Amino acid sequence: MSNRRLDVSPGPQIRDTPGAYPSTPGESVLSEVESSQLSLSQAVYKRRAEYTVSRKIRIKVGTWNVAALHGTEKDIGSWFVGGKGISESLSVLSFGDKGASDNSASNTLTSPAAGDPQGGRPASVEGLEDVEHQEARRSKKQSTTPLNDPGFVPGGEDVGLYVLGLQEIVDVSSAAEALKPYNDPHPARRWKHEVEAALPDGYVKIAEQQLVGLFMVIYAAPDVAPTISDVDSTSVGTGLMGYMGNKGAVITRIVLGEFTRLVFVNCHLSAGVEKGNLERRDWDASQIIRRARFNAVYNSAGDMETDSDSIGSEDFTFWFGDLNYRLEGMAGDDVRRLLMLHTKNEYRVNNTSKRRIDAELALHDSRSSEDSTSTEDEKASHRSRAYHRISHNFHSATSTATSVTPQDSEDLDPSSDPASLQTTIASLLPHDQLLERMRQRKAFHDGWREGPIDFLPTYKYDVGSVGMFDSSEKKRGPSWCDRILFRTRKDKQAYEERLRKEEAAKKRDEEMKNHGMDDPAVNEEDVLFEYDPANDGADEDYDPDADTEDAEKVASSDATEDKIHLEYYTSHQRVLSSDHKPLDASFTLTYEAADPDLKAKIHQEVARELDRAENERRPAVTVIVDHHDEGRGKSHSSADDEGVDFGEVRFDSPKTRHVTVANTGRVPAIIGFTDRTVAHNQAAGAAPPWLHIKFDRSADKERPSSESRDVYTLEPGDAANVELSVHVTDISLVRHLNDGNATFDDVLVLRVHNGRDYFLPVRGRWLQSSFGRSVDELLKLPEGGVRQAQQQDESKLPVGLAASKADISASGGSHDGDRNNQLQGNNSEPKEADRVKWSAPREIFRLTEAIEDLTERAVAEWGMRSGNEKPPWENDPGWPFTTPPPSPSDTANLRLKEHVHEALDTNTSIPKSFPVGTPSIHRLEAVAQTLVSFLASLADGIITESLWATLEDHIIAREKSKPAASSSAEEEKLEILDIITASPAHSASFTFVTSMLSRVVNEITTSSYTTEPATKLAQRKRLVEGYVAVFAEVVVKAPLPPAGGGVKERRVSEGRRRRVVEVFVKAEGAQAL
């Protein structure tokens, strides 16, 4: 069972980038030699020492068997994140000052000082809830940890990586749960919710994995998450039939800082106290290691790391969970009573739990007294004698405690005190199965380590009790079932080296035996070397602590040095909601990580070095970029200028740059642009969507087998001109550019077949456009237009800036008083800086106003012409709003529209933006077509999708209630206005557009040469139909019914849209007649 996750690191992997320094060719300079990015990646990887930095992280590992009990999730945040629930008297940690807790490795927790039974912690924490009240308060609906517990182990933001392993989040003893073909995700969601509620803001979940009742989840700090990659999780079932998930492990592998691999194993091994159960636990562990598989890890050079798909070759491994190893060689009931000699001191005299503990101890003492009358062989086993010896020492020490002065008590080392908890724990640990199996090399012997066990066994307690071990009929013996082990790469390598040495020594011994070297009668002359203890090795000092330091340097798989340091390892005795006590440990890991900025710099340097080292026998070309100084048109080429710079790029304003590729080599060169490196959110291909590439010649009919795109052959001395052009007309791209989600910044890859690749940066500076925005955004633009907003903040368009209080006429436009008052809306002074002044976008107002003025001028100028040429409105009923078919004059029309766009974006006068001498009819066409494009680009439209849904429902209801002939145009107008006035800005915009259309129709028809009313009405009808057909598509921003739904439905919907526009244009036009 596997849950695979992709690399979480941002950006594309270098090994996927095409183009690099090619391999050395053969004797023929035209031999097939492919350019490979892998060589560039390898060269960068060899210089990794130059872009690695030392980083430090604190990793907190926690494990808890929750026994499928409800309410246990309420405790997870307090003990795992908050560090609460550690008993003062039953803990031997040195807590020190909580205020000094930070991320430094020096802030560690140590064993208690001599004579300090509280482990260095104050005798009591002010306001801390006592055990009696805590047990009485226990509830499934709240945390059971003591009130006012500040938590004294690292937590919160001090931890960079939280790793939590849980067991039995569902009842694994149930066959229905164990045999389920799927994992029930609901219990895991409860746990994730509680953990995420306790974590500080910004922590990111990077992995989770569940196997029936096993669950592991990992969270990373905001600054750590981006450095984690190659996250992969899997699971191994070892339960029923050796494969079911009621027992087994969930495993996660991550790569930290690009170089360091970490593996986390959360397991639940076989239970039971019999010898067969012990051997099954060993088998479970071996199966987990053998069967766990991950996706392979590839380093940044593109090479697969050795054995990266299994457990064993990683840099650091953390193995934790309910390993279920027990205490053997002592009766479980004896261990219970022995440990309760310590836990009973947690309770007051009259506490129920204390009375139960005292009763059990008293009962056992009376039985012991009776047993003393019989012989030991008949009444006591070896395990019972061990208990009596330890218990006798404990009682002897406590009985003489009154004779020891306080000063003597303070000076007594707890490890030497027979009544101390440390002494009791030390006497029990030789009976621990896990430690014994490690010594016997039966399990976890190949380099695994564990922190010092200075805490009570974590199993088995009465639920709701701090120190009452299992008082049920079974009275299960206490054991350290829950454990946290860890191993470094160096630990495993040291064990393997020790095995090799032992094997070599064994082999030498056998050879010596075969040669009779073990026979005392062997002649001393046959001895090759003689060892003198007085002289041999005298110059070497042996440090007995060298092999036992907590913090050790470990060589990672990438030859970087890491350091791991165990800060503390303890249980949370005062968590009451399960029969297991939770266990956690904190590690400080110092490791080498790749710095993205330094790596990018090295990448560029290596690329240039490889470029310069290109072999002369390969095809060689020179790329010359035709640079332009913005505004002066000066052309030059300079070695200091890299790439193609389009300068300022505007909407619907094409820009062209030229690149010359000259063959300066001695052999023909086959060139062409190949697929470039792209990020996950970029379009693939040789060029970005906004860039067009055109060569000055036809492509070769035949291309090399390795090339999938057009190529061009240049003979020696020949040169090709490449035209690069940018023409932004796609409104979706305009919106991304306005929002800053897209930029004109890319790199083209010019591939020379059998030669090197040339990387050609392409850039430009986008000038913000009023196109592609919503009506609300347009209302909030500053007085100076969208360009003023861009100048105020280049990185972010302040769409919410308030419009100034200056009159719109200050922008250079002119309008009559009625339309000015209508646009300004409420003339009262705004009380807040962000209040919107205008009732409709000024861009729509200025465009419609200019169209009305230019229509009057254009019609008048046409009337002064001589000849019989028909006016344009008679040839095209949609004139001047329809775009004419392609013709040589299109370029001129495009240039005129650029002037209109610039006037809109800079809030300058539209009439004054045209070159002097431009005919009014050409100006009118440019402004009118700009209005249509502008309305079509609105993100929400004049009539939004929601407004149209309401409006269409009303039209349908009206169509059903009464015939169309019975409704007057005036009634329809009022009904439509009543609906769209729900959005005043959209309603005002609609009024501007329809009013302008009516005036244009009136201006054209009243200026017609014919005086026949029928002819005028026919001409008006043609104009109205033409304008309605154009504007019905751009005014309503709502999708049409799908084509598969029926042609009739689409036509009906289109007719309703046209009718909404027509009723206003036609009615006002009729009044004008």
Side-chain angles (χ1 to χ4, degrees):
M1 186 180 298
S2 178
N3 179 18
R4 305 296 184 189
R5 289 188 56 182
L6 298 178
D7 192 328
V8 300
S9 61
Q13 296 183 2
I14 292 181
R15 61 175 178 270
D16 296 331
T17 307
Y21 185 74
S23 58
T24 304
E27 296 181 358
S28 173
V29 295
L30 295 178
S31 62
E32 288 290 326
V33 181
E34 295 300 326
S35 178
S36 171
Q37 176 66 18
L38 194 59
S39 59
L40 174 59
S41 301
Q42 290 172 337
V44 173
Y45 186 71
K46 288 181 180 179
R47 294 180 58 180
R48 62 188 178 276
E50 300 179 42
Y51 59 80
T52 55
V53 294
S54 180
R55 298 255 173 92
K56 183 179 293 185
I57 183 175
R58 172 175 279 154
I59 301 177
K60 190 172 190 178
V61 178
T63 178
W64 192 18
N65 187 322
V66 299
L69 294 173
H70 291 288
T72 47
E73 69 272 9
K74 299 298 181 181
D75 283 327
I76 194 68
S78 58
W79 74 262
F80 182 56
V81 179
K84 302 177 182 180
I86 299 176
S87 173
E88 297 181 30
S89 57
L90 299 180
S91 170
V92 294
L93 293 175
S94 178
F95 290 86
D97 182 10
K98 182 179 184 296
S101 178
D102 55 25
N103 285 320
S104 63
S106 61
N107 182 30
T108 58
L109 305 174
T110 59
S111 299
D116 185 2
Q118 304 299 333
R121 188 175 182 175
S124 62
V125 177
E126 183 177 356
L128 180 67
E129 185 178 28
D130 59 31
V131 173
E132 180 179 1
H133 288 88
Q134 180 189 0
E135 292 185 354
R137 179 181 55 82
R138 182 181 72 89
S139 169
K140 295 181 180 180
K141 297 182 179 180
Q142 62 180 354
S143 173
T144 65
T145 55
L147 300 178
N148 302 321
D149 188 343
F152 287 91
V153 295
E157 296 179 351
D158 293 341
V159 178
L161 207 61
Y162 282 96
V163 184
L164 174 64
L166 301 173
Q167 305 86 44
E168 295 191 32
I169 63 172
V170 299
D171 185 5
V172 296
S173 63
S174 168
E177 290 288 349
L179 298 176
K180 272 185 179 179
Y182 62 91
N183 288 319
D184 183 3
H186 297 291
R189 290 173 186 165
R190 297 201 313 268
W191 289 97
K192 287 188 291 184
H193 173 75
E194 295 294 337
V195 174
E196 291 168 3
L199 286 172
D201 293 338
Y203 275 71
V204 179
K205 185 188 72 175
I206 63 169
E208 68 170 290
Q209 184 75 357
Q210 181 182 355
L211 174 65
V212 188
L214 279 165
F215 179 64
M216 178 164 62
V217 62
I218 302 176
Y219 291 90
D223 59 329
V224 175
T227 68
I228 295 176
S229 63
D230 292 283
V231 179
D232 199 9
S233 297
T234 187
S235 56
V236 176
T238 62
L240 298 174
M241 298 176 291
Y243 284 92
M244 300 308 293
N246 58 313
K247 291 292 188 291
V250 288
I251 312 105
T252 293
R253 189 273 324 279
I254 67 173
V255 175
L256 184 63
E258 194 175 309
F259 299 138
T260 305
R261 270 188 285 136
L262 291 83
V263 170
F264 302 95
V265 182
N266 172 31
C267 75
H268 192 185
L269 305 184
S270 178
V273 297
E274 303 300 329
K275 182 178 180 181
N277 303 128
L278 173 62
E279 294 174 348
R280 179 57 184 264
R281 285 191 280 273
D282 299 342
W283 183 86
D284 287 349
S286 65
Q287 288 295 300
I288 292 169
I289 295 177
R290 186 177 67 86
R291 287 157 48 189
R293 285 295 178 269
F294 309 107
N295 289 327
V297 175
Y298 290 84
N299 59 33
S300 57
D303 301 324
M304 186 179 73
E305 296 185 2
T306 305
D307 298 329
S308 60
D309 60 344
S310 60
I311 298 177
S313 65
E314 62 279 349
D315 300 295
F316 299 95
T317 318
F318 301 87
W319 191 305
F320 48 94
D322 185 356
L323 277 65
N324 255 322
Y325 286 97
R326 310 302 175 93
L327 292 176
E328 62 181 2
M330 294 184 66
D333 204 32
D334 292 343
V335 178
R336 288 179 61 255
R337 293 186 176 90
L338 177 62
L339 293 174
M340 285 192 293
L341 292 173
H342 296 278
T343 61
K344 72 175 185 176
N345 296 324
E346 291 287 292
Y347 303 95
R348 297 178 181 178
V349 176
N350 296 324
N351 182 265
T352 303
S353 296
K354 179 175 176 58
R355 290 198 298 270
R356 292 169 59 191
I357 294 175
D358 288 341
E360 284 205 29
L361 295 176
L363 177 63
H364 186 271
D365 290 342
S366 64
R367 290 176 178 175
S368 300
S369 176
E370 295 174 1
D371 293 343
S372 63
T373 60
S374 303
T375 64
E376 283 191 346
D377 293 337
E378 297 175 350
K379 297 294 183 178
S381 64
H382 171 74
R383 292 175 297 177
S384 181
R385 290 197 303 272
Y387 164 76
H388 287 304
R389 181 177 63 256
I390 299 172
S391 177
H392 174 74
N393 292 339
F394 177 87
H395 285 293
S396 299
T398 54
S399 63
T400 59
T402 55
S403 64
V404 181
T405 63
Q407 182 65 33
D408 294 335
S409 177
E410 292 179 1
D411 294 339
L412 183 62
D413 186 349
S415 61
S416 304
D417 183 1
S420 71
L421 176 62
Q422 285 177 277
T423 301
T424 301
I425 292 175
S427 66
L428 294 177
L429 286 178
H431 300 272
D432 180 69
Q433 288 181 339
L434 176 58
L435 297 179
E436 183 63 21
R437 301 304 273 186
M438 294 171 73
R439 284 191 290 268
Q440 295 174 356
R441 295 185 179 180
K442 299 289 186 180
F444 298 102
H445 53 281
D446 48 348
W448 291 99
R449 292 186 287 148
E450 184 180 20
I453 299 178
D454 292 329
F455 47 86
L456 288 173
T458 57
Y459 173 86
K460 176 184 187 276
Y461 295 83
D462 288 350
V463 176
S465 168
V466 171
M468 186 67 189
F469 289 94
D470 184 19
S471 63
S472 68
E473 183 179 351
K474 293 184 178 181
K475 288 185 170 51
R476 296 177 180 85
S479 296
W480 283 281
C481 292
D482 308 281
R483 311 292 273 268
I484 299 176
L485 310 178
F486 61 97
R487 181 178 70 183
T488 67
R489 175 186 292 271
K490 184 178 180 180
D491 292 332
K492 189 171 185 295
Q493 292 174 345
Y495 171 78
E496 293 170 348
E497 179 63 23
R498 186 163 60 252
L499 285 185
R500 285 192 292 269
K501 290 181 178 179
E502 291 177 359
E503 186 65 25
K506 182 178 179 181
K507 185 176 180 180
R508 287 195 302 269
D509 290 343
E510 292 177 353
E511 292 177 351
M512 292 175 66
K513 289 181 180 179
N514 294 335
H515 289 82
M517 296 286 292
D518 58 339
D519 191 343
V522 173
N523 194 330
E524 292 183 359
E525 295 181 357
D526 295 333
V527 178
L528 299 179
F529 301 99
E530 183 177 0
Y531 174 70
D532 183 2
N535 299 318
D536 293 344
D539 296 334
E540 298 181 2
D541 294 331
Y542 172 68
D543 183 3
D545 298 327
D547 298 331
T548 59
E549 292 186 4
D550 283 343
E552 63 178 62
K553 293 184 178 179
V554 183
S556 74
S557 58
D558 290 286
T560 58
E561 289 188 349
D562 299 301
K563 183 189 295 183
I564 189 171
H565 179 81
L566 174 64
E567 294 183 313
Y568 73 88
Y569 180 39
T570 189
S571 65
H572 294 256
Q573 194 70 24
R574 295 192 66 173
V575 176
L576 313 180
S577 53
S578 174
D579 57 358
H580 288 250
K581 297 300 180 182
L583 181 70
D584 65 0
S586 178
F587 303 87
T588 296
L589 179 67
T590 304
Y591 63 99
E592 300 297 319
D595 184 275
D597 295 333
L598 293 177
K599 185 175 181 179
K601 181 180 179 182
I602 297 300
H603 187 277
Q604 293 177 356
E605 291 179 1
V606 170
R608 285 194 289 265
E609 291 172 1
L610 294 179
D611 287 344
R612 288 192 295 267
E614 191 70 36
N615 195 304
E616 291 183 357
R617 292 180 299 174
R618 296 181 176 276
V621 299
T622 300
V623 180
I624 304 174
V625 178
D626 188 16
H627 295 280
H628 289 259
D629 289 342
E630 198 71 41
R632 293 184 295 171
K634 182 180 178 182
S635 176
H636 66 278
S637 60
S638 172
D640 297 332
D641 296 332
E642 295 184 359
V644 178
D645 191 350
F646 284 96
E648 296 177 344
V649 181
R650 297 171 173 81
F651 169 69
D652 200 13
S653 178
K655 276 204 168 183
T656 302
R657 295 289 184 265
H658 292 88
V659 175
T660 301
V661 183
N663 185 353
T664 55
R666 294 174 291 179
V667 296
I670 301 175
I671 64 171
F673 287 97
T674 189
D675 289 346
R676 71 203 194 285
T677 303
V678 296
H680 67 281
N681 58 345
Q682 289 181 306
W690 44 266
L691 184 66
H692 178 70
I693 303 175
K694 180 182 178 182
F695 279 78
D696 63 352
R697 62 193 67 200
S698 300
D700 295 349
K701 294 181 180 180
E702 296 181 0
R703 64 170 69 104
S705 59
S706 60
E707 300 295 339
S708 60
R709 299 189 177 275
D710 290 341
V711 295
Y712 306 83
T713 300
L714 298 180
E715 296 297 330
D718 191 9
N721 183 271
V722 184
E723 181 183 272
L724 304 179
S725 58
V726 174
H727 189 189
V728 180
T729 57
D730 183 10
I731 294 302
S732 61
L733 176 59
V734 173
R735 289 172 184 158
H736 286 304
L737 290 168
N738 284 338
D739 296 338
N741 296 327
T743 59
F744 292 116
D745 191 3
D746 215 310
V747 178
L748 304 181
V749 181
L750 179 66
R751 173 153 296 173
V752 181
H753 188 60
N754 289 340
R756 56 163 288 185
D757 286 353
Y758 292 81
F759 298 93
L760 187 63
V762 180
R763 67 182 68 86
R765 177 174 177 264
W766 171 249
L767 295 184
Q768 294 283 345
S769 173
S770 54
F771 282 74
R773 302 181 183 277
S774 66
V775 170
D776 289 338
E777 289 176 329
L778 293 172
L779 292 176
K780 299 175 183 179
L781 289 177
E783 176 67 23
V786 70
R787 295 291 168 71
Q788 180 182 341
Q790 184 176 17
Q791 292 174 0
Q792 292 172 351
D793 187 358
E794 287 288 342
S795 63
K796 179 181 178 184
L797 177 65
V799 191
L801 288 179
S804 69
K805 297 188 293 181
D807 189 88
I808 191 170
S809 60
S811 67
S814 61
H815 49 270
D816 57 78
D818 292 338
R819 289 171 62 86
N820 183 31
N821 293 334
Q822 185 180 12
L823 178 64
Q824 286 184 320
N826 188 358
N827 292 326
S828 60
E829 290 293 330
K831 296 181 180 181
E832 299 177 3
D834 59 349
R835 178 173 296 179
V836 178
K837 178 176 181 180
W838 311 112
S839 60
R842 286 168 292 170
E843 290 77 8
I844 298 178
F845 168 76
R846 295 171 60 214
L847 287 170
T848 56
E849 181 189 43
I851 291 172
E852 293 175 13
D853 179 63
L854 290 172
T855 300
E856 181 180 353
R857 294 174 181 269
V859 171
E861 288 182 4
W862 189 269
M864 293 185 289
R865 289 190 178 189
S866 61
N868 297 323
E869 184 181 359
K870 286 185 178 182
W873 53 83
E874 292 187 7
N875 296 323
D876 181 6
W879 183 91
F881 301 101
T882 52
T883 303
S887 66
S889 63
D890 283 347
T891 302
N893 177 264
L894 179 60
R895 296 289 177 255
L896 293 178
K897 287 195 288 186
E898 290 179 11
H899 292 295
V900 180
H901 298 162
E902 189 69 11
L904 286 179
D905 295 339
T906 57
N907 201 22
T908 55
S909 172
I910 293 177
K912 295 180 180 179
S913 65
F914 296 104
V916 177
T918 305
S920 296
I921 191 170
H922 293 165
R923 300 187 185 195
L924 174 60
E925 290 173 345
V927 177
Q929 293 165 17
T930 297
L931 173 64
V932 176
S933 300
F934 185 81
L935 296 180
S937 75
L938 290 176
D940 51 355
I942 290 182
I943 298 180
T944 64
E945 185 173 354
S946 59
L947 284 176
W948 174 249
T950 305
L951 189 57
E952 190 171 31
D953 290 342
H954 176 77
I955 294 174
I956 294 173
R958 178 165 49 79
E959 291 172 350
K960 293 180 179 180
S961 63
K962 54 185 177 179
S966 63
S967 300
S968 66
E970 192 62 30
E971 290 178 351
E972 289 186 62
K973 288 177 57 177
L974 293 176
E975 292 172 356
I976 294 172
L977 288 174
D978 185 56
I979 293 175
I980 65 176
T981 50
S983 178
H986 294 79
S987 176
S989 301
F990 182 77
T991 302
F992 285 162
V993 173
T994 56
S995 176
M996 175 273 299
L997 293 176
S998 298
R999 297 186 187 184
V1000 172
V1001 170
N1002 291 340
E1003 185 64 37
I1004 293 177
T1005 55
T1006 55
S1007 302
S1008 177
Y1009 301 109
T1010 179
T1011 58
E1012 294 293 335
T1015 304
K1016 287 182 176 289
L1017 287 175
Q1019 186 180 61
R1020 179 182 300 279
K1021 182 179 180 181
R1022 289 181 67 250
L1023 289 173
V1024 170
E1025 290 177 352
Y1027 293 172
V1028 168
V1030 172
F1031 281 87
E1033 296 181 1
V1034 299
V1035 167
V1036 179
K1037 197 74 169 183
L1040 286 166
V1047 177
K1048 183 178 179 181
E1049 292 183 9
R1050 290 179 63 88
R1051 289 179 178 176
V1052 171
S1053 181
E1054 290 173 351
R1056 291 174 183 145
R1057 297 168 192 245
R1058 289 195 295 269
R1059 181 59 183 168
V1060 169
V1061 179
E1062 181 184 19
V1063 72
F1064 286 87
V1065 179
K1066 188 174 181 180
E1068 293 190 16
Q1071 294 173 3
L1073 283 178

